[in-house]
Amino acid sequence: MTQTAQSSTSIPLAHCDTASERVLVLDFGSQYAQLIARRVREQQVYCEIVRHDISADRIRELEPKGIILSGGPASVYQDDAPQCDGELFRLGIPVLGICYGMQLACQALGGKVDNAPSREYGRAHCHIDNSSDLLAGISTETQVWMSHGDQIAGIADSFMSLAHTSSCPFAAIKHQELPIYGLQFHPEVTHTPEGGKMLGNFLRGVCGTSGKWKLGDFAAETVAQIRARVGNDRVICGLSGGVDSAVVAALLAEAIGPQLSCILVDNGLLRQDEAQAVIREFSAHFKTDLHVVQAEDRFLGALAGITDPQEKRRRIGHEFIGCFTAEAGKIEGARFLAQGTLYPDVIESGAAVDGPADTIKLHHNVGGLPDELGFELIEPLRDLFKDEARRLGLQLGLPEEIVWRHPFPGPGLAVRCLGEVTRERLMALRTADAIVVGEIRQAGLYRETSQSFAVLLPVQSVGVMGDSRTYDDAIAVRSVNTDDFMTADWSHLPYDLLARISTRIINEVSGVNRVVYDISSKPPATIEWE
């Protein structure tokens, strides 16, 4: 093990040839910024999310083929509204403003933005007035998704209107001299059925991209880069049983084979029988050097009395470092640490160089960890979204059982056990969670749902079991459907399935007398409760 801290270098996709055609999304606080990036990548064009105040000089260095200005919750005419470097409109790089981004571009170039006389939220019928370039091939009457309280009150002579709705005269605009476009609605959401075609028109017709970014090429390039960088040294990969670490392990196994050592820290926060499944899968499929650390007592001791979710994450991360360091010290010749960090982790942790600075949540596998462990960091998936990682896993030959396993949070059941984390509460939660997943599998709905699990609430309520009064805990069942995990809708599970889940949990889980079903969408809720 290297004793001095090394730089936390990764192998980013941005350095691959397949990312030569890059599009930047400037994030103004939109709940859909990551979804915009996903939709661009679906067009086989590499996309990165960057800060809204990124300088024009930095944009020049990145040499993007196009720029997309995201939506946002602010009003452009407010004193503290987020702004962009006005010089970017003069770089000659095509710009597409969406909602707030459209208003910002219009205001910067002489237009007027004001509070809308009639706010639009939800589906709207849009009439196309000019079907050239951006709106080529779009139906004359098309459905779009609006979400705005402000709108363009007047455009400068240099702009022209491309589309309108009954209450929005400038639903789409175009600058007559510069390659600058705007959409008041959101083309990135599924509620705008022809939104993908509009984004494709911008990427192909306006930006001139050819769509060269492919996961197969990415895999081959990344494997070659890992081999070149690692040489004869050893790489350690932390396993969690999740999809991300499995795909990383598959990439490394292909790249360096026996030079890979995997460590599984059994922290007592895993799902039922998960540690045994990981040992079985990775011993059989990868035949790798696997180290298992039994650390349940250590983690539960650190979590005793802690109820704040962020503090739970911090303590779990701290204990993970201690366990991992001790085990890694037993592995000779280890210089690199590989992790399954995904692009949303990087963005939400504020760890991207040019990315948004706000931290939404802490991840114990993003930022700070490599310096403390004394390894150089390899994060081959840090530029991929979850569905891209799944597709890559299939291309690498991983079994579908691993690839399609429902996501599991890094801190494990600790953030599904609301309130204090104890051995007894974890036992109840683990049993309830196994019932939820097992019944959904039995109903043939596991692949149709994206993430399903149980949450133990620190809420007691009165019940009756037999002739006795009870005052026990409640379990919340959560199941969502999503394509990208940026937005999600609750799964409309059959009533009889929910009834079986509820009956089994109450009958089989000691100390629980009530089961509720979470019907919140994301946004405004998140998928996980903590």
Side-chain angles (χ1 to χ4, degrees):
M1 176 180 173
T2 307
Q3 297 301 315
T4 57
Q6 303 293 321
S7 60
S8 52
T9 310
S10 61
I11 300 177
L13 178 62
H15 293 169
C16 296
D17 290 340
T18 47
S20 59
E21 294 187 334
R22 183 196 322 250
V23 169
L24 302 179
V25 174
L26 273 61
D27 184 9
F28 291 90
S30 171
Q31 61 185 345
Y32 299 133
Q34 293 188 29
L35 187 54
I36 296 171
R38 278 294 303 111
R39 296 297 179 248
V40 172
R41 292 190 185 186
E42 286 175 1
Q43 306 277 346
Q44 295 186 323
V45 176
Y46 179 65
C47 187
E48 290 179 1
I49 301 172
V50 298
R51 297 175 58 93
H52 64 83
D53 57 356
I54 185 173
S55 70
D57 288 339
R58 177 58 177 155
I59 292 175
R60 284 192 191 94
E61 292 176 6
L62 294 172
E63 299 181 337
K65 299 285 285 186
I67 299 170
I68 298 177
L69 310 180
S70 82
S75 295
V76 296
Y77 47 78
Q78 294 174 341
D79 291 339
D80 58 348
Q83 302 291 324
C84 62
D85 186 337
E87 285 300 311
L88 73 84
F89 297 114
R90 298 171 179 83
L91 295 176
I93 301 171
V95 176
L96 173 63
I98 296 175
C99 198
Y100 180 92
M102 166 186 171
Q103 297 164 12
L104 190 67
C106 190
Q107 179 176 268
L109 296 171
K112 178 176 173 55
V113 179
D114 206 348
N115 191 257
S118 176
R119 297 186 177 190
E120 282 187 301
Y121 294 99
R123 293 177 175 86
H125 293 287
C126 183
H127 180 82
I128 306 302
D129 302 311
N130 186 322
S131 59
S132 63
D133 43 39
L134 182 64
L135 301 178
I138 305 300
S139 306
T140 304
E141 298 287 339
T142 187
Q143 177 184 292
V144 298
W145 181 263
M146 292 286 194
S147 180
H148 67 96
D150 299 326
Q151 65 183 33
I152 307 297
I155 57 176
D157 292 340
S158 54
F159 279 97
M160 62 182 295
S161 176
L162 301 179
H164 70 274
T165 70
S166 59
S167 59
C168 181
F170 306 111
I173 60 173
K174 169 187 177 180
H175 198 282
Q176 300 194 62
E177 298 176 2
L178 302 173
I180 298 173
Y181 299 78
L183 297 173
Q184 182 59 70
F185 52 86
H186 290 271
E188 70 273 21
V189 302
T190 56
H191 303 304
T192 302
E194 296 187 276
K197 186 182 295 185
M198 297 174 194
L199 289 173
N201 287 339
F202 176 70
L203 297 169
R204 301 285 196 276
V206 178
C207 300
T209 62
S210 57
K212 297 189 297 183
W213 184 65
K214 295 179 176 63
L215 279 176
D217 294 336
F218 162 72
E221 291 170 10
T222 303
V223 164
Q225 289 176 338
I226 290 173
R227 286 174 179 162
R229 181 161 174 237
V230 170
N232 296 321
D233 291 313
R234 179 165 290 277
V235 178
I236 295 177
C237 179
L239 294 178
S240 66
V243 177
D244 312 333
S245 62
V247 176
V248 169
L251 267 173
L252 290 167
E254 182 170 333
I256 59 173
Q259 294 167 243
L260 171 65
S261 292
C262 294
I263 297 177
L264 170 65
V265 176
D266 186 354
N267 55 14
L269 304 173
L270 301 177
R271 289 171 284 200
Q272 185 168 289
D273 300 325
E274 188 157 44
Q276 295 87 337
V278 170
I279 294 170
R280 184 170 59 251
E281 290 166 355
F282 283 87
S283 297
H285 188 81
F286 294 108
K287 295 181 173 58
T288 187
D289 176 36
L290 179 60
H291 300 244
V292 181
V293 181
Q294 301 294 340
E296 179 179 13
D297 292 342
R298 176 171 179 168
F299 278 80
L300 292 185
L303 291 170
I306 303 302
T307 60
D308 178 74
Q310 293 292 68
E311 184 61 23
K312 288 180 183 179
R313 291 175 181 270
R314 290 189 185 94
R315 293 191 177 217
I316 290 169
H318 177 77
E319 294 304 321
F320 175 78
I321 290 171
C323 291
F324 204 97
T325 301
E327 191 63 29
K330 304 173 184 178
I331 301 173
E332 295 185 4
R335 176 184 170 191
F336 298 94
L337 171 65
Q339 295 183 151
T341 307
L342 295 180
Y343 195 43
D345 299 334
V346 175
I347 295 298
E348 293 180 357
S349 300
V353 175
D354 295 305
D358 290 342
T359 299
I360 297 173
K361 58 184 176 181
L362 297 177
H363 297 261
H364 70 262
N365 64 328
V366 179
L369 188 59
D371 285 342
E372 295 187 53
L373 289 178
F375 291 104
E376 291 185 48
L377 182 62
I378 295 178
E379 294 177 304
L381 308 183
R382 68 177 283 125
D383 294 299
L384 299 185
F385 288 95
K386 174 69 75 173
D387 61 317
E388 293 170 332
R390 289 188 193 277
R391 286 191 285 125
L392 181 58
L394 291 173
Q395 291 182 14
L396 291 167
L398 284 173
E400 290 195 1
E401 181 181 352
I402 295 178
V403 172
W404 293 108
R405 181 177 292 157
H406 284 187
F408 190 58
L413 293 178
V415 291
R416 293 178 180 174
C417 184
L418 276 60
E420 186 176 5
V421 180
T422 66
R423 199 181 308 271
E424 293 72 26
R425 298 190 79 222
L426 284 171
M427 186 180 302
L429 174 58
R430 193 174 283 115
T431 303
D433 185 75
I435 290 172
V436 171
V437 174
E439 287 293 338
I440 288 176
R441 283 188 185 276
Q442 185 67 29
L445 297 175
Y446 188 76
R447 283 283 299 273
E448 293 184 25
T449 57
S450 304
Q451 194 168 354
S452 304
F453 54 92
V455 181
L456 180 60
L457 307 181
V459 176
Q460 289 76 46
S461 63
V462 174
V464 177
M465 289 187 176
D467 295 325
S468 302
R469 174 187 182 274
T470 61
Y471 193 64
D472 288 332
D473 291 331
I475 287 284
V477 176
R478 180 71 157 148
S479 183
V480 299
N481 294 349
T482 177
D483 293 327
D484 45 49
F485 292 89
M486 301 299 103
T487 62
D489 192 17
W490 59 279
S491 304
H492 293 229
L493 299 179
Y495 290 159
D496 58 345
L497 172 58
L498 291 173
R500 286 197 303 273
I501 290 173
S502 176
T503 299
R504 285 195 59 194
I505 289 175
I506 291 173
N507 287 341
E508 298 176 30
V509 182
S510 177
V512 173
N513 67 356
R514 191 176 299 272
V515 175
V516 298
Y517 188 49
D518 183 349
I519 59 171
S520 309
S521 62
K522 176 188 180 182
T526 54
I527 295 176
E528 298 287 346
W529 277 49
E530 286 190 341

